[in-house]
Amino acid sequence: MRPVIYYILTVITSLHHVQGAKILALFPHPGKSHHMVFEPLFLKLAQRGHQMTVASFFPLENPPVNYTELSFVGLAGLGLEVLDMSMYENPPLKYGIPLIGDIIKQRDETRPLVRSAIMICEKLVGFQPLIEVLKHDYDLVIVENFNSDCMLGLLHVYGIKAPVIALSSCNAFPSSAERLGFVDNPSYVPMITSPWTVSMSYIQRVKNAVLNVYLKRVLQNVQDTEKAIIEKHYGKEVPLYELSKNISLLMLNTFHQLNGVRPLVPGLLEVGGMHLDAEGKKIPQVS
């Protein structure tokens, strides 16, 4: 039998000093359906000992001890106020025009998101509570990969050098492919905003290619506008396009069995179902 001192030394040498990271999460999109995907991750990180600072339109009523919140409530409308649902309930006749009706519909869907991104960026560049948060140091920054890169510009202005992880509540946008180098070939990768599947007809492929180019151009225009807004406010150059290509990881709320198989890269991770609380729940038995 080994002496007791052997087990004591084994326990001592097995101990590790664990220090939680300081994590900043910047999520200025006012869509509740988006935040519902991300919030469980923030709570889990806090539960595991990390110091979370979360800036969003949806603050928790009872946040954990190591969970600091910055509320954007009041800076923009929430939920259905962001997107006009009448276009789906009573679609106009122009959406039924052969060949171009789908493209017009996609254009109309993106316009409210463009206006929202620019308006919120204009308000946040001078939002003092956010400025105070950005004056601190962080080990990691998490942002949303959707309709705005304004937060990346503010991180640059305040000299935050921490690695940046981007989250998406849906599949990847075409602009994300350029940033990370994965495939978005419109001949077999349907646009995220389109109703098509990987088995597209020739006409659908043509329309898909047009939408691919169109959405990239729209998001580039938003980025250029946000760049001008930040530079005008702070009086310094902000290389927003280069910053958007410098994210370390993009996590998508999707899964290849639902959206089709395509080549990916190490910097892209599918985390479909991340928002589901499965702890303590059993799979129902079919009788």
Side-chain angles (χ1 to χ4, degrees), residues 48-103:
R48 295 190 177 183
H50 300 290
Q51 180 62 53
M52 295 296 302
T53 300
V54 180
S56 76
F57 280 92
F58 305 97
L60 293 171
E61 292 184 1
N62 298 297
V65 176
N66 53 329
Y67 195 102
T68 303
E69 290 200 291
L70 169 60
S71 175
F72 293 149
V73 174
L75 295 180
L78 303 179
L80 295 180
E81 297 177 27
V82 177
L83 186 63
D84 184 3
M85 301 302 290
S86 63
M87 69 172 67
Y88 304 102
E89 297 169 351
N90 300 294
L93 294 177
K94 61 182 179 180
Y95 292 167
I97 300 176
L99 299 180
I100 64 172
D102 291 333
I103 297 175

Side-chain angles (χ1 to χ4, degrees), residues 151-220:
M151 296 299 98
L152 297 178
L154 294 182
L155 291 173
H156 174 77
V157 168
Y158 286 93
I160 296 177
K161 303 296 184 182
V164 177
I165 290 178
L167 303 182
S168 175
S169 63
C170 52
N171 210 339
F173 277 82
S175 56
S176 302
E178 293 183 345
R179 301 177 184 190
L180 291 173
F182 60 89
V183 172
D184 72 326
N185 190 325
S187 67
Y188 68 94
V189 179
M191 281 287 301
I192 181 176
T193 56
S194 76
W196 307 311
T197 66
V198 291
S199 301
M200 292 179 283
S201 66
Y202 174 75
I203 296 298
Q204 289 173 338
R205 292 170 194 263
V206 173
K207 291 192 288 187
N208 193 53
V210 172
L211 288 173
N212 183 290
V213 174
Y214 170 74
L215 191 54
K216 285 182 179 178
R217 188 63 231 167
V218 167
L219 293 175
Q220 183 61 55

Side-chain angles (χ1 to χ4, degrees), residues 13-269:
T13 55
S14 298
L15 295 177
H16 297 275
H17 176 67
V18 178
Q19 183 177 2
K22 293 181 63 178
I23 302 175
L24 173 63
L26 300 172
F27 287 76
H29 179 63
K32 178 65 174 177
S33 60
H34 290 231
H35 197 76
M36 290 170 61
V37 177
F38 311 134
E39 189 175 86
L41 174 63
F42 304 154
L43 291 172
K44 181 62 68 175
L45 289 171
Q47 179 185 331
R48 295 190 177 183
H50 300 290
Q51 180 62 53
M52 295 296 302
T53 300
V54 180
S56 76
F57 280 92
F58 305 97
L60 293 171
E61 292 184 1
N62 298 297
V65 176
N66 53 329
Y67 195 102
T68 303
E69 290 200 291
L70 169 60
S71 175
F72 293 149
V73 174
L75 295 180
L78 303 179
L80 295 180
E81 297 177 27
V82 177
L83 186 63
D84 184 3
M85 301 302 290
S86 63
M87 69 172 67
Y88 304 102
E89 297 169 351
N90 300 294
L93 294 177
K94 61 182 179 180
Y95 292 167
I97 300 176
L99 299 180
I100 64 172
D102 291 333
I103 297 175
I104 296 174
K105 181 173 180 288
Q106 301 287 315
R107 181 202 62 184
D108 291 348
E109 288 176 341
T110 59
R111 283 179 171 176
L113 296 174
V114 169
R115 290 193 295 266
S116 174
I118 294 173
M119 180 268 293
I120 292 173
C121 185
E122 288 177 334
K123 293 184 177 182
L124 289 182
V125 292
F127 190 51
Q128 194 60 35
L130 176 60
I131 292 172
E132 293 301 320
V133 165
L134 293 172
K135 290 179 180 179
H136 299 283
D137 294 326
Y138 299 94
D139 301 306
L140 178 69
V141 179
I142 307 176
V143 299
E144 182 174 6
N145 179 245
F146 186 51
N147 62 336
S148 172
D149 289 316
C150 188
M151 296 299 98
L152 297 178
L154 294 182
L155 291 173
H156 174 77
V157 168
Y158 286 93
I160 296 177
K161 303 296 184 182
V164 177
I165 290 178
L167 303 182
S168 175
S169 63
C170 52
N171 210 339
F173 277 82
S175 56
S176 302
E178 293 183 345
R179 301 177 184 190
L180 291 173
F182 60 89
V183 172
D184 72 326
N185 190 325
S187 67
Y188 68 94
V189 179
M191 281 287 301
I192 181 176
T193 56
S194 76
W196 307 311
T197 66
V198 291
S199 301
M200 292 179 283
S201 66
Y202 174 75
I203 296 298
Q204 289 173 338
R205 292 170 194 263
V206 173
K207 291 192 288 187
N208 193 53
V210 172
L211 288 173
N212 183 290
V213 174
Y214 170 74
L215 191 54
K216 285 182 179 178
R217 188 63 231 167
V218 167
L219 293 175
Q220 183 61 55
N221 288 339
V222 173
Q223 189 182 79
D224 292 342
T225 303
E226 291 178 334
K227 180 178 184 296
I229 291 171
I230 300 171
E231 291 181 343
K232 179 180 179 180
H233 185 87
Y234 288 98
K236 59 187 301 185
E237 184 177 357
V238 178
L240 200 53
Y241 178 69
E242 288 73 17
L243 294 171
S244 68
K245 298 178 68 175
N246 199 35
I247 62 173
S248 301
L249 179 69
L250 172 60
M251 300 170 65
L252 302 176
N253 181 36
T254 184
F255 192 59
H256 55 268
Q257 286 187 323
L258 300 176
N259 296 285
V261 178
R262 60 171 169 171
L264 300 181
V265 293
L268 191 151
L269 183 64

